[in-house]
Every structure is written in structure tokens, then in C-alpha cells.
Amino acid sequence: MKNLFSNFKGDLFGGITAGIVALPLALAFGVSSGLGPSAGLYGAIFISFFAALFGGTNTQISGPTAPMTAVSMVVIAGIIALNDGSLEKALPAILVVFLLAGLMQIGLGLLGIGKYIRYIPYPVVSGFMTAIGVIILVTQILPAIGYYPKEDAEFVNQYKPMAEEIILDNILKEEAGEGILVLENFEETIKRAEGITEEDMLKEASTLAKSEASGVLGALKVMPRALQNINWLEFILALSTIAIIYGFKKITTAIPSALVALIVVSGVAYGFGLNYRPIEEIPSGFPMPNLGIFTSFELGSVTPYIFTALTLALLGAIDSLLTSVVADNMTKTKHQPNKELVGQGIGNSIAAIFGGIPGAGATIRTVVNINAGGKTKLSGMVAGVLLLVVLLALGPVASQIPAAVLAGILVTVGIGVMDYKGLKAIPSLPKDLSLGPIKFSSEVVIMLVVLVLSSVWNLVYAVGVGLVIASLMFMKKMGDLTAERSDVKSLEKEEGWADEVGFPKNLRDQVFIKHLKGPLFFGSTSEFQILADQIPRTASTVIIRMDRMQYMDQSGLYTLEDVLIDLHNSDIEVLFVDVLKQPRYMMERVDLIPDLIPTEHIFDTFAECLQYLERKTSKKNIEASA
């Protein structure tokens, strides 16, 4: 506790400054997610406070972030669609998914997974981050110009026939669940169908229209119609917000430009009594837990999103730990990755219980905190408390913020979150793959695949596909490298190592030396399998030098066993030189040593192996003379 207040003044200023920066983003991310501004604010309050209290990075400020919000949008839209377009019905299941993501993060931290997060390939992260930017930018164009598909009567009417079919289908499903046979109780079906009102069809059609216009492809699909129905007031408000955000940064960075834009544009719109569209009302009073997540959801509605919850957990872990590295570089300290994951998990779990959207460590807010003097966990807790005070004291005021202002803020977030460093590097990356005469870079392919699939298909699956492609390409590269460095040649053709220079000439045609350079794993086994075929059956001995083979997996082990059996059947003696610890352990586990390679055929040095060959040759010569 003493350490917590050791830098009270600096942490107070750092936390207040970070909280001010977080306010407009929290509201904007809440609106973008589909749960409303209060969900963004609740997420920022609880994640900031509890991730700081229990986390492993003293200066980190946590809360809703662009990547976490983008994935949350997928979860929210999907579960709402399964609940007849009703957010009220879908909310418990949505929050359960967020709660699971938080619990999974705690599990990742307790299992010590934090130190492995850094192994995720950069092209996958780059493609994903750029896709997040594209998704936010494209989807926010519609609210920025004041177009809402579900409120466009002509557009909604197109979906009335489909809406009627869905409602009738639901009636049949209800009757089937009640044990009513349609053929025997056709009158009951007709009676229920006649009860469908115009309001019911309009509501279902509005839900379909909103769903059809969601995501990047949906937004692009309705874009021509939206551009014909621009609400010029909303567009001017959004454009003014964007202009102030970029323009004010050139004047000073001491005050968050997003907050300035929020206050100025909202103040003008409200002060002049403009007929703008406000954000959803933010509930006043202290946030209350949503107990429905424990009582009123069906497990079946959550099960399809288990993988999505894991993706949220991993994404939050990556986002947070990358920010932790930035904080370390600025403060010359070292974070505790597993403790940080536990803290983030606790924050996200509590936020979910209170109806908040998930979040992670936020780089910009963390940097602002450090620059303002924050040094301990108290700064993150202060940021959370400040947002709570804003909620309690200024909730009704915040509810008057124009929706177009938050859309403008999100447009700048989408532009800023893209990985321009990775995009600029595309022309200079080595072209290490070829398709006929066309050469291209494997890393560019991975990045573009993740970018495109994330933007137009599914964020979760896109990351999985990117990881699989990256792994396959890595295996191919390692296999090619191992094969290139480990060709099987006779001693006269293969460049010998320093201790092989004086090898006896009388043994060169009978003894073949194989240099293993690099790991023998599933990516290199296909090249290694040709070893037995490359060695003439006139050879009497094969020396396999393992000085530089540090690792062997199960695939490599069984491939080596097949080769040794083939050589043994051809009466070719195999000698091992300098077998390292891990490969030897693997070979002893399956009795490859000593069943195929006796311990007396394993030598610590090449000199000892050479002495063995000379003794053997001398003995043969003596026997031949006798």
C-alpha cells in the first residue's frame, strides 16, 4: 500500500489525463459495438480500475480498444440475429461470451501463457490491425452521413416478404415445440398467422435491413443509397469533428484533440438547438450488475461463440502485452506478463457482469499517463474512478452528444489504427515464393489474406487462417533450409568440416559422411528420407554427424528410424558423432539406441570415430592377410 501512494501527485495527474482521453473513445466504442455508449463507459470504468489493481504493468491504462470492439461487434450482431433482432433478449448471452473471454484470460495467465504471446507472426498482427481500421472506417461512414438503414422505409420494405416468411417459419417451429402437428391442426396455424400484424412484419424487416447493411460488405452494398440520402447536418457535425481532431493536434498535444472536438462540436450543436441525432441515453446512477447472465440465457446460444471468446481473450492478451512492452521502454521497467493477463481477465470479467464491453491495455492512454507523471497502479485506478464520476455527475449531459460526433471520432480511430509500417514495407520485403514466373513475398501474402478475410468475412476465422498459412510457410522455409544445408554427398564432393581434412584416402570410397545442420522435424523429413537412396550399396559405413542438430520431433525420429532400418538391411554400418541431449533422449525412448545404433557406435568426437574406423580397417587387413 505504501508503494501505491509513493507517487501520489504524479499518478493523480496521469490518471486524470488518461481518463479524459479515454472518455470520448469509451463512448464511441460503446456505440460502435452495438450495445450503446453506456456499455463503453462501463467497460472503461471497470477494466481500467481492476486491470490496474491486479495487473502486472504499473503504468498501463486499460479499457475498450479498437480491435476488441471490432470483434465484439461480430459477437453482438451474431447473437442478436439469433434472438429475433432483440438486444434485450440477446444481452445475457452476449455478456456471458464477454465473461468467458475474461475468465479465459485469467486461465491464460495462471497457465503461464503470457510469455508465448510474442510468437504470433507479425504479418498476422499487421493484417488484422489494418483490417480493424478498414472495418471501423467503412462502417462509420453511414452514421457519419446520418444514414441508418433500418430507418429507411423504402429500403426496409424490400425485406417485408422475407420477414413474413421468417415469422411464419417461427410459428411452425413454435407449434413443433408444443407438439402440434400442422396437418392435424391447420386451423391453429392459420389463426396464429392471421395474428401477425403490420408492426410485427415491419420490426422483423427492420432487423433484416440492419443485418444486411452490417459489416464492410453490407456498408458498401448500401453506400450508393446512403449517398443519395445524406443528412447534411449530421455530415457537417462529423466532418467538423474530424477536422478539429487533426487540426488541434498541430496546435498542441497537451490536450486530447478528441475531447476538444467532442466538447466543441457537441456544445455548438446543443447550444444552437440544432436538430441533430443524439446518442442513446446513458443511465444515471451507479452501474448495477446484470444478473441475467447467470439466470436467463441458454447454453446453446453461447456454445457457437466459445472460439470467439477465446479469440477475444487472445486478442486482448496480445493488445495488452504489446502495450506493456511500450510502457517498459518508456519507464525502463519490466512488466509481469502472466500477472498482467490475470489482471486483464479480472477487469473484463467484472466489466461483463456490469454490462460493459471488453477491452485491453490501450497504448495511447498508457503513453499519456506516463508522460503526465503516472508511475504506479494508482494511475490506472484513478482513471477508472474519474470515468465513474463522469458517469454519475454528467450522464444526462453526455446523453446529448450527437451520434455524428462519435462517428467522426471513430473515423479517425479507424485511420489511426491501421499498420502503416507494415503496408509501407510491402514493396521491400523479399520475394521468397514463386508461382510459375510470378514471384511474391510469403509475408505479404499472409498479411493480405488476413486483411481481406478479416474485412469481408470473419475476424476470428481470418486470424486462424493466417496462423495456419504462416505456420505452413515457416515449416516449408525451415525444411528447404535444412535440405539445402544437409545434402548427402560422398566425402570427395561434400565440403568437409575442419576435423575431416586428414581423412584417410583409402576409406573415402567406402565411407559416407552426413552432416545434419538444423532440426530434424516434420517440415524437413521429406528431404531426409532420400538419404538411404542416395548412398550406393557398395558403401560399408555411414557417419552421421549430429553436432548441429539441436532438436528432433516425433516425425523426425520415426523418419530417422526408417532410414536406419533401410541402411541396416543393406549391411551398411551407421556411426553417430556428437549426439546432443534432446535427440539422444528421443532415440532412447523408442530404443532406437541401442537396438539399431549400439552405444559403442556413438562417439563424442570425430577423432574417436576415425580411430574406430582405422582399428576396424587394420583388423580386416590382418584377417585378409591371414
Side-chain angles (χ1 to χ4, degrees):
M1 186 62 68
K2 182 180 178 181
N3 292 334
L4 188 64
F5 294 98
S6 61
N7 183 52
F8 182 76
K9 184 178 179 181
D11 291 334
L12 184 64
F13 281 119
I16 290 174
T17 307
I20 291 172
V21 173
L23 176 61
L25 295 175
L27 295 170
F29 287 137
V31 172
S32 176
S33 72
L35 289 188
S38 57
L41 203 51
Y42 294 165
I45 291 168
F46 292 106
I47 299 171
S48 179
F49 187 89
F50 288 102
L53 180 61
F54 296 104
T57 311
N58 287 342
T59 54
Q60 180 131 283
I61 304 295
S62 303
T65 62
M68 294 293 280
T69 302
V71 177
S72 299
M73 287 166 57
V74 175
V75 177
I76 293 165
I79 297 181
I80 288 177
L82 292 175
N83 287 269
D84 303 325
S86 172
L87 175 59
E88 186 178 351
K89 290 182 182 178
L91 188 58
I94 291 170
L95 297 181
V96 167
V97 174
F98 294 163
L99 176 61
L100 285 175
L103 295 175
M104 287 178 181
Q105 279 188 319
I106 296 174
L108 292 174
L110 294 177
L111 291 173
I113 304 297
K115 59 185 177 182
Y116 298 108
I117 298 295
R118 65 180 182 270
Y119 294 117
I120 294 179
Y122 178 80
V124 175
V125 177
S126 176
F128 181 79
M129 293 304 294
T130 302
I132 294 297
V134 170
I135 291 170
I136 292 176
L137 178 60
V138 174
T139 56
Q140 289 307 307
I141 291 177
L142 297 183
I145 62 178
Y147 180 78
Y148 295 85
K150 68 176 183 178
E151 297 176 7
D152 183 345
E154 188 177 340
F155 181 67
V156 170
N157 286 336
Q158 298 175 17
Y159 295 91
K160 277 190 175 181
M162 190 185 303
E164 188 173 10
E165 289 181 15
I166 291 174
I167 294 172
L168 289 173
D169 186 52
N170 289 336
I171 289 175
L172 295 176
K173 288 179 180 178
E174 287 176 8
E175 291 181 346
E178 296 170 6
I180 299 174
L181 297 177
V182 177
L183 293 178
E184 296 179 2
N185 297 274
F186 197 64
E187 291 181 0
E188 176 65 22
T189 305
I190 294 175
K191 182 179 178 181
R192 294 190 182 190
E194 289 175 346
I196 301 173
T197 64
E198 182 69 19
E199 185 180 350
D200 292 333
M201 282 200 295
L202 187 61
K203 182 180 177 181
E204 184 65 36
S206 296
T207 301
L208 290 172
K210 181 182 178 181
S211 177
E212 188 69 18
S214 64
V216 172
L217 290 180
L220 293 175
K221 181 179 179 180
V222 300
M223 193 67 69
R225 184 176 187 84
L227 294 175
Q228 294 173 3
N229 295 274
I230 295 178
N231 183 317
W232 290 103
L233 174 60
E234 301 289 318
F235 180 57
I236 291 172
L237 292 176
L239 205 60
S240 301
T241 302
I242 295 169
I244 292 175
I245 288 174
Y246 286 123
F248 195 79
K249 285 181 181 178
K250 295 181 179 181
I251 300 173
T252 178
T253 56
I255 303 174
S257 60
L259 182 66
V260 173
L262 178 71
I263 293 174
V264 171
V265 180
S266 300
V268 170
Y270 183 78
F272 283 90
L274 301 180
N275 186 27
Y276 63 86
R277 180 192 185 100
I279 62 174
E280 296 176 25
E281 184 177 353
I282 298 175
S284 58
F286 195 88
M288 300 302 293
N290 190 321
L291 300 180
I293 64 176
F294 302 110
T295 59
S296 62
F297 78 96
E298 295 180 3
L299 184 62
S301 63
V302 175
T303 304
Y305 293 93
I306 295 295
F307 182 66
T308 305
L310 177 60
T311 302
L312 270 172
L314 291 172
L315 176 60
I318 297 168
D319 211 357
S320 300
L321 295 182
L322 288 176
T323 302
S324 296
V325 172
V326 173
D328 285 351
N329 291 334
M330 292 183 67
T331 59
K332 308 303 179 186
T333 57
K334 187 170 180 60
H335 71 282
Q336 301 175 60
N338 294 318
K339 187 177 180 182
E340 181 61 34
L341 292 188
V342 171
Q344 291 292 332
I346 292 173
N348 278 313
S349 299
I350 295 175
I353 293 173
F354 281 87
I357 60 174
T363 304
I364 294 176
R365 280 159 266 177
T366 300
V367 171
V368 166
N369 174 43
I370 294 170
N371 288 336
K375 290 184 179 179
T376 76
K377 296 181 176 185
L378 182 62
S379 57
M381 297 163 67
V382 167
V385 171
L386 174 70
L387 292 172
L388 178 60
V389 171
V390 170
L391 171 67
L392 297 177
L394 301 175
V397 176
S399 298
Q400 299 302 316
I401 295 172
V405 170
L406 296 188
I409 291 174
L410 285 171
V411 166
T412 64
V413 170
I415 294 172
V417 80
M418 294 183 192
D419 182 30
Y420 296 103
K421 181 180 179 181
L423 293 173
K424 288 179 181 177
I426 288 178
S428 59
L429 291 174
K431 295 177 174 58
D432 52 356
L433 291 177
S434 60
L435 185 63
I438 304 174
K439 292 187 176 181
F440 48 88
S441 167
S442 59
E443 296 196 345
V444 172
V445 170
I446 295 168
M447 185 181 72
L448 292 179
V449 166
V450 175
L451 169 58
V452 173
L453 293 183
S454 296
S455 300
V456 303
W457 182 39
N458 185 293
L459 281 163
V460 179
Y461 298 154
V463 171
V465 170
L467 288 173
V468 170
I469 295 176
S471 300
L472 291 174
M473 288 187 175
F474 173 77
M475 288 184 280
K476 183 182 184 303
K477 287 180 182 178
M478 291 299 99
D480 292 345
L481 183 61
T482 303
E484 180 182 337
R485 298 175 60 189
S486 303
D487 290 336
V488 179
K489 302 173 183 176
S490 67
L491 191 60
E492 292 180 349
K493 294 180 180 179
E494 183 167 358
E495 184 179 346
W497 289 356
D499 55 359
E500 298 169 2
V501 174
F503 196 82
K505 292 184 179 180
N506 62 313
L507 296 178
R508 295 195 175 202
D509 291 334
Q510 297 297 317
V511 177
F512 283 75
I513 298 177
K514 168 63 180 173
H515 298 132
L516 291 182
K517 307 170 188 175
L520 183 58
F521 71 114
F522 58 90
S524 61
T525 53
S526 59
E527 297 293 339
F528 186 77
Q529 283 172 338
I530 63 175
L531 171 61
D533 295 333
Q534 287 182 314
I535 298 175
R537 292 307 179 254
T538 56
S540 61
T541 305
V542 171
I543 300 174
I544 300 180
R545 302 201 61 175
M546 298 187 171
D547 315 42
R548 302 178 188 178
M549 190 187 77
Q550 306 91 340
Y551 175 77
M552 174 192 296
D553 70 358
Q554 192 171 14
S555 299
L557 174 66
Y558 291 136
T559 301
L560 176 62
E561 182 181 37
D562 292 340
V563 169
L564 293 177
I565 290 173
D566 192 8
L567 294 174
H568 179 76
N569 292 337
S570 299
D571 294 324
I572 296 176
E573 184 179 51
V574 178
L575 307 177
F576 282 173
V577 176
D578 195 9
V579 183
L580 300 182
K581 184 177 179 180
Q582 191 274 345
R584 181 159 188 160
Y585 173 83
M586 292 289 288
M587 289 187 281
E588 288 176 344
R589 291 307 92 190
V590 297
D591 294 326
L592 193 151
I593 298 174
D595 290 356
L596 287 175
I597 305 295
T599 52
E600 58 267 23
H601 286 177
I602 301 175
F603 305 94
D604 292 334
T605 65
F606 186 73
E608 293 178 6
C609 180
L610 183 58
Q611 291 173 7
Y612 168 82
L613 287 173
E614 289 175 339
R615 289 196 301 270
K616 178 181 174 183
T617 303
S618 298
K619 183 178 179 181
K620 284 185 177 180
N621 291 338
I622 292 172
E623 291 175 351
S625 299

